[in-house]
Amino acid sequence: MRLTVVVDNAAVPPLVGEHGLSLFLEYGGGGFLFDTGAGGALAPNLCRLGIEPRRIGRVILSHGHYDHTGGLASLPEVEIYCCPGVEVRRFSRHPGMPVRDISMPPVGVAALRNRREITGF
């Protein structure tokens, strides 16, 4: 098995860093993506790492926050594994701070609904 960090907060140039996470796992000739980052770094980092999107056969979404699901819409047709309700709106609330929407972006929700969603692992 080979694991490649595609998106994270502390990327080293020429990779693009952003708040979020995406990992590419290769095993037995196949590959899958665990989360998709916030969206902006996924495509350029896949390119810079030499990972062609067509090599991604499946996407596993750990949960429905924007920083784990934002790149979903930029991927080709893939099987998506996720928990039921991953597209439900989510919010962050910290004392003294305004409430923030941290949900899956609308384009990600649309992409999820237009593809074959496989719930459960």
Side-chain angles (χ1 to χ4, degrees):
M1 178 182 282
R2 180 178 173 177
L3 182 141
T4 303
V5 177
V6 179
V7 176
D8 76 346
N9 299 10
V12 176
L15 297 178
V16 178
E18 71 180 9
H19 180 71
L21 177 72
S22 182
L23 307 172
F24 181 65
L25 291 94
E26 297 172 271
Y27 181 76
F32 68 91
L33 205 59
F34 181 81
D35 289 341
T36 64
L42 183 64
N45 285 356
L46 286 171
C47 181
R48 289 180 179 126
L49 291 165
I51 301 169
E52 295 187 29
R54 64 179 169 78
R55 289 177 47 204
I56 301 168
R58 296 178 179 95
V59 173
I60 297 171
L61 298 176
S62 63
H63 62 286
H65 292 170
Y66 76 94
D67 56 332
H68 294 261
T69 62
L72 186 60
S74 68
L75 294 171
E77 183 88 15
V78 292
E79 290 182 350
I80 301 168
Y81 292 78
C82 59
C83 302
V86 71
E87 75 283 357
V88 171
R89 291 190 67 197
R90 291 168 167 76
F91 298 90
S92 174
R93 181 174 171 255
H94 294 278
M97 302 289 291
V99 174
R100 289 187 321 128
D101 187 338
I102 58 172
S103 306
M104 179 186 294
V107 294
V109 173
L112 182 66
R113 290 182 181 159
N114 290 332
R115 297 180 188 179
R116 185 172 147 213
E117 177 183 344
I118 301 171
T119 56
F121 291 91

